[in-house]
Amino acid sequence: MREVELNMAPSSPRVRAPLRAGVAFVAAVLLTVAYGNMADLVVLHDHPLPTLVFGPALWVLLALAVTMLVPSDLRSRSAVAWAFGGTGLAVLLIGCVGFAATFFGLGFGSSGRHGDRIDVVSSADGRYQVEVFAWEAVLGEPGWDVVIYRRDGLRGTEASAGCLFSEASADYRAVLTVEAGFVRIATEEGSVAIAFDPTTMRVTHRIPVDLCGGYA
């Protein structure tokens, strides 16, 4: 038995390193999935994970995974520095691509939730929310995306109700009413009614297209 233990001992670090790398990589994937599904997860929807927290956390996890894959006899300070530097650059480039895609996507129309959330109004029972996101068009004209959100335990469901655009004389003012199946929003030209199916979250009466100019 003692001879078997001696033969197995040297191989254990070689087994542990890939295992730790796998754990770090899986943690990075789970973190990315959670960050990408913030709108669906009630906890992250109410308390979004900031990019300034997500980016460094993802970088450290990926860098640890890459470092653990480097053979122990080659794991020098310079190798670790290269691992952290390379993964940091990769995360930065991916973040820049994602930011550019989101930013330039505004020029092609509203997909439901662009820009910064500026207003949130809940129904009396707290199950439904109307969220308003402010954005700017290519020339800087302000616009607003309206999203209806339903809380369902740990997950939620959202549906785009359309958008408002300042150049269409539809400056957003306030959310007037939020009920199961019905929402009313105030604009500079009057109020706008929105209807949706509380069960399927399908919007049956959206904001009129002409109130969003060419961004609907």
Side-chain angles (χ1 to χ4, degrees):
M1 292 292 294
R2 185 175 300 175
E3 183 179 356
V4 174
E5 291 175 358
L6 291 175
N7 290 335
M8 293 179 61
S11 64
S12 58
R14 298 180 181 178
V15 175
R16 287 198 298 266
L19 181 61
R20 291 170 180 170
V23 171
F25 181 75
V26 170
V29 171
L30 293 176
L31 180 65
T32 303
V33 171
Y35 186 78
N37 289 273
M38 284 194 297
D40 296 331
L41 301 175
V42 171
V43 174
L44 292 181
H45 186 88
D46 292 341
H47 307 283
L49 182 64
T51 303
L52 292 178
V53 174
F54 168 72
L58 181 63
W59 169 43
V60 170
L61 288 173
L62 291 178
L64 288 175
V66 173
T67 300
M68 289 295 102
L69 292 177
V70 177
S72 58
D73 54 336
L74 300 177
R75 202 177 298 154
S76 61
R77 290 185 177 179
S78 60
V80 173
W82 275 105
F84 272 79
T87 52
L89 180 61
V91 171
L92 180 61
L93 290 176
I94 293 173
C96 290
V97 171
F99 175 80
T102 302
F103 180 81
F104 289 109
L106 291 177
F108 299 98
S110 170
S111 63
R113 54 194 319 269
H114 284 121
D116 299 321
R117 189 170 68 176
I118 61 169
D119 203 358
V120 180
V121 180
S122 301
S123 59
D125 59 3
R127 189 181 183 191
Y128 299 93
Q129 291 180 342
V130 172
E131 303 176 339
V132 181
F133 297 83
W135 47 270
E136 291 185 352
V138 177
L139 299 180
E141 307 94 335
W144 299 267
D145 287 331
V146 179
V147 175
I148 304 171
Y149 183 79
R150 184 184 66 193
R151 304 166 64 97
D152 290 312
L154 296 178
R155 296 185 63 85
T157 304
E158 67 176 28
S160 172
C163 62
L164 301 168
F165 189 47
S166 58
E167 293 299 302
S169 298
D171 287 270
Y172 169 74
R173 290 292 180 260
V175 177
L176 302 176
T177 305
V178 182
E179 300 175 0
F182 180 77
V183 171
R184 186 175 293 278
I185 295 177
T187 72
E188 67 173 358
E189 293 296 319
S191 63
V192 178
I194 301 170
F196 64 97
D197 187 320
T199 303
T200 64
M201 288 300 291
R202 185 175 68 88
V203 179
T204 56
H205 188 275
R206 295 168 56 85
I207 296 173
V209 176
D210 58 343
L211 294 184
C212 200
Y215 293 90

